[in-house]
Amino acid sequence: ESTMPPARTALRFPGIAQFLSSAVTQPASSPEQPTAICPNLGINYPANPHLAYRYPPPNAVIVANIANAICSSPMLYTQVLNLMNKMNLPPPFGHHTPVHPILRGSVWPGSSESGESEHESESDGGQAEAPPAKKKKPLTAAETSKRLKREQERIKHAFLLEKKAKLQPEHATASSAPPPPPPPQQQPLPPPLTQTHIQANKLTAQEFATQFPTHQCGAPTSKLYIKNMVKKATALDLLLLFGGYFSSTEEAQQRLQITVLPRGKKATAFVTFPSAELATRALADSQGYRMHNHPLLIVRLSCVSPTH
């Protein structure tokens, strides 16, 4: 005979079945991890919950240090205002509040107002007593005589100095001082080169075309770029070369802008004229001029590439 297994009977308390099923399906929640103090600075452990702080009672120095910290840290100032707001303390804005008894004996704004301090002491019922004033030790007869002698000597010395200054003539004090050094005299600039000298010391058109066959002057502009200069050439050489278009060398120095740039064994220069017409005349007259036995190669700035 085959024995049949006994049939399962349903639980009499359906609530227990629901509780067991929920306990199986829903895992128990893990306990909440304590918050670290400051993970950004590497402080990953939590604060001790049993730690308590014990601060000293307030005094004028502590309050002044707290005020300095609040003034130097805007975030601390905001946090203090938020804490006062949460504690329902009166806002610190507006008129000056009465000085606390702790701050009366210290150097604090408003603590020197005698009327206000007296009013506060009366309103406090005489509880806050002013600190006793220090009694000065009376001077002896010997100390008093020493002070009088020192004061008499000081007055006598000052009187003698004033009398000596009155007897001394004014011209003597003026002559005793050394005369100021004369201002340095600027050497006069030499006259500019004449067109006759320039034309006699420049390449002819045929010689210039032979030495520089691919030369191009560029579009008219007021700024010229000068190449093929020797290293010892200076801005004064260019000033004398182009100064003939003005009434004097001094005027040319004021109206021309000359910049010399050394490049290895040679040099280049930029010369800015008051107008493009004057720059065109200077280019035509001075092209190929032998400066220190080296012919100049002059082009307009429009012909110079930006990279160069």
Side-chain angles (χ1 to χ4, degrees):
E1 296 180 2
S2 62
T3 59
M4 298 295 292
R8 294 183 179 180
T9 58
L11 295 175
R12 296 181 180 180
F13 305 100
I16 297 178
Q18 295 177 2
F19 172 75
L20 294 175
S21 62
S22 63
V24 174
T25 56
Q26 298 180 0
S29 59
S30 58
E32 185 179 356
Q33 296 294 333
T35 306
I37 296 178
C38 188
N40 297 334
L41 300 178
I43 307 176
N44 300 318
Y45 52 86
N48 188 359
H50 303 289
L51 181 64
Y53 297 96
R54 185 177 181 181
Y55 301 107
N59 54 32
V61 177
I62 294 176
V63 174
N65 293 337
I66 293 174
N68 292 334
I70 291 175
C71 294
S72 60
S73 176
M75 295 180 61
L76 178 59
Y77 171 73
T78 304
Q79 292 295 332
V80 171
L81 293 178
N82 292 338
L83 182 59
M84 294 179 66
N85 188 16
K86 291 181 179 180
M87 297 178 65
N88 294 327
L89 296 175
F93 317 110
H95 63 279
H96 182 67
T97 57
V99 181
H100 196 273
I102 296 178
L103 305 176
R104 285 178 185 170
S106 61
V107 180
W108 198 259
S111 60
S112 60
E113 299 177 0
S114 58
E116 184 180 359
S117 300
E118 292 174 0
H119 178 72
E120 292 172 7
S121 60
E122 292 175 1
S123 61
D124 293 340
Q127 296 179 1
E129 297 180 359
K134 294 182 179 180
K135 295 182 180 180
K136 295 183 178 180
K137 186 178 180 180
L139 298 177
T140 61
E143 292 177 350
T144 305
S145 61
K146 287 182 180 179
R147 290 194 177 187
L148 289 176
K149 288 183 180 179
R150 286 198 298 266
E151 187 68 19
Q152 289 176 0
E153 291 177 358
R154 186 185 64 82
I155 295 174
K156 185 178 179 180
H157 182 67
F159 176 76
L160 292 177
L161 289 179
E162 184 179 0
K163 187 177 180 180
K164 185 178 180 181
K166 289 182 179 180
L167 294 176
Q168 192 174 10
E170 295 181 359
H171 62 84
T173 58
S175 60
S176 60
Q185 296 181 358
Q186 295 182 355
Q187 297 293 335
L189 296 174
L193 302 179
T194 61
Q195 287 296 326
T196 304
H197 175 80
I198 295 174
Q199 297 300 325
N201 291 275
K202 62 178 290 187
L203 299 177
T204 62
Q206 184 177 1
E207 292 174 346
F208 186 83
T210 304
Q211 293 189 20
F212 309 101
T214 61
H215 175 68
Q216 295 181 358
C217 294
T221 180
S222 62
K223 198 166 189 177
L224 300 181
Y225 179 60
I226 303 174
K227 302 186 293 184
N228 203 34
M229 295 172 55
V230 294
K231 190 176 182 179
K232 63 180 181 179
T234 61
L236 180 60
D237 296 332
L238 296 175
L239 182 64
L240 299 179
L241 176 62
F242 300 117
Y245 303 102
F246 304 94
S247 60
S248 62
T249 311
E250 287 74 11
E251 182 185 357
Q253 187 178 18
Q254 295 178 359
R255 304 188 63 183
L256 290 177
Q257 296 180 8
I258 302 175
T259 305
V260 179
L261 304 174
R263 292 181 177 273
K265 295 182 179 180
K266 294 187 177 182
T268 59
F270 290 97
V271 181
T272 304
F273 289 81
S275 62
E277 293 77 7
L278 193 60
T280 302
R281 287 178 53 191
L283 186 147
D285 296 339
S286 306
Q287 187 73 275
Y289 172 75
R290 294 186 182 92
M291 181 178 289
H292 301 287
N293 296 326
H294 277 74
L296 299 181
L297 184 62
I298 307 175
V299 298
R300 297 185 178 96
L301 188 64
S302 58
C303 191
V304 181
S305 62
T307 56
H308 185 70

